[in-house]
Amino acid sequence: MASPMRSLLADPDRYLQSFRLFLERSTEHQCMQEFVERQLPDVIASIGNGKSTINVLSVGGGAGEMDLQILSKIRARYPKATINNEVIEPSADQISKYKERVAQASNLENIKFTWHKETAYEYESRMTAENKTKKWDFIHMIQMLYYERDVPATVRYFHSLLESQAKLLIILVSGKSGWETLWKKYGSSFPLEDLCSYVSSADLPRMLDSAGLKYQLYELPSHMDITSCFIEGDKDGELLLDFLTETLDFAKTAPPELKHQVMEELRKPGCSEIRDGKVFFNNNLGVMVIEP
């Protein structure tokens, strides 16, 4: 009899381990980097017009890999402006990695960093309690909306903080990804905590349309090699399965029937593509750029 399933978030160390392996095995950061290189310059083309200071807010900035790339593009577009970059990030470990990254980076003159160790919800609550409203020229929320209890309210709040030329950038798993297929079918069987909910780029247009907001939508092709998930007892495979299902020790604790169904699903075209004997999970991302 399998032991009860628990959320992967119950073990922060294992979560981080599985997340790092996911980044290693997937083209997640590469496809975002390509977006930053190719499309971001157009997105930020007017956010700093006539400004001596550009205010950037990173919501869920993690360890700062993508943040620094975004900042370098803003700096290239507005070389004379001072950039005030504030980061909301609940993990102390991620903040310390972010600070290390900043310390080691060159070409960050003109950029000021401030870190807030809190969630997006805690930031909003604190600003509301202090009766403060700070406006921003660029806000980005990369792969973080899954951890918000009320996604529409979170998007509405941060959208309300945009200056007149500003942009809000949101990146999530795509509604056309394997995540969408897997989670729509089996999400209710996984032990999700309140901390984490499934949302994809397919869910946002309805929200944005009903609020009458203008936005552009981009699809970023990405994949992840999950071949090791099908090798019984493979440690990396087990970690990736944990990440895919948000379940701690999924391979050992899932009921046999559920495990069998999930493994079957992961091989199907709705989730993955099989090439040269390897299984590549569809990790496509959806990007939304929302106008003020």
Side-chain angles (χ1 to χ4, degrees), residues 39-55:
Q39 272 102 5
L40 192 70
D42 286 344
V43 171
I44 59 168
S46 60
I47 62 168
N49 284 354
K51 298 194 166 194
S52 57
T53 302
I54 297 171
N55 292 313

Side-chain angles (χ1 to χ4, degrees), residues 5 26 35 42 49 54 73 140 157 182 195 255 268 279:
M5 290 162 73
S26 72
F35 175 82
D42 286 344
N49 284 354
I54 297 171
K73 288 287 173 239
H140 56 89
Y157 172 71
L182 183 68
L195 272 167
K268 289 182 185 170
V279 185

Side-chain angles (χ1 to χ4, degrees), residues 63-122:
E65 298 99 324
M66 295 314 304
D67 285 24
L68 295 192
Q69 294 187 39
I70 288 169
L71 290 168
S72 78
K73 288 287 173 239
I74 296 174
R75 193 167 167 270
R77 176 70 181 82
Y78 304 100
K80 294 195 168 67
T82 299
I83 299 169
N84 166 40
N85 183 66
E86 294 196 26
V87 182
I88 299 168
E89 170 54 54
S91 160
D93 179 62
Q94 294 285 76
I95 288 176
S96 86
K97 286 195 168 53
Y98 197 140
K99 288 179 175 174
E100 277 169 33
R101 196 167 254 118
V102 167
Q104 288 160 9
S106 53
N107 73 13
L108 295 180
E109 55 276 9
N110 297 0
I111 304 177
K112 294 178 189 158
F113 289 87
T114 311
W115 288 271
H116 304 283
K117 187 189 168 303
E118 56 194 354
T119 63
Y121 179 75
E122 286 163 351

Side-chain angles (χ1 to χ4, degrees), residues 7-56:
S7 167
L8 180 56
L9 292 162
D11 184 339
D13 287 344
R14 190 164 170 93
Y15 173 80
L16 230 81
Q17 232 185 318
S18 66
F19 175 61
R20 288 191 181 128
L21 184 63
F22 157 72
L23 288 181
E24 206 179 287
R25 294 286 171 90
S26 72
T27 58
E28 173 101 349
H29 274 174
Q30 293 91 308
C31 78
M32 286 189 205
Q33 282 159 358
E34 209 165 290
F35 175 82
V36 167
E37 283 299 318
R38 293 182 179 179
Q39 272 102 5
L40 192 70
D42 286 344
V43 171
I44 59 168
S46 60
I47 62 168
N49 284 354
K51 298 194 166 194
S52 57
T53 302
I54 297 171
N55 292 313
V56 178

Side-chain angles (χ1 to χ4, degrees), residues 183-236:
W183 278 80
K184 284 280 185 277
K185 206 160 185 182
Y186 295 106
S188 58
S189 306
F190 302 148
L192 271 191
E193 287 186 355
D194 290 348
L195 272 167
C196 194
S197 61
Y198 179 74
V199 57
S200 78
S201 67
D203 301 307
L204 285 186
R206 277 195 305 279
M207 267 178 233
L208 301 173
D209 291 339
S210 66
L213 299 179
K214 280 171 44 186
Y215 58 91
Q216 284 151 313
L217 196 50
Y218 303 82
E219 183 85 5
L220 308 187
S222 173
H223 61 261
M224 167 168 61
D225 184 347
I226 61 167
T227 313
S228 59
C229 292
F230 301 94
I231 302 167
E232 198 63 44
D234 185 286
K235 292 279 175 280
D236 284 353

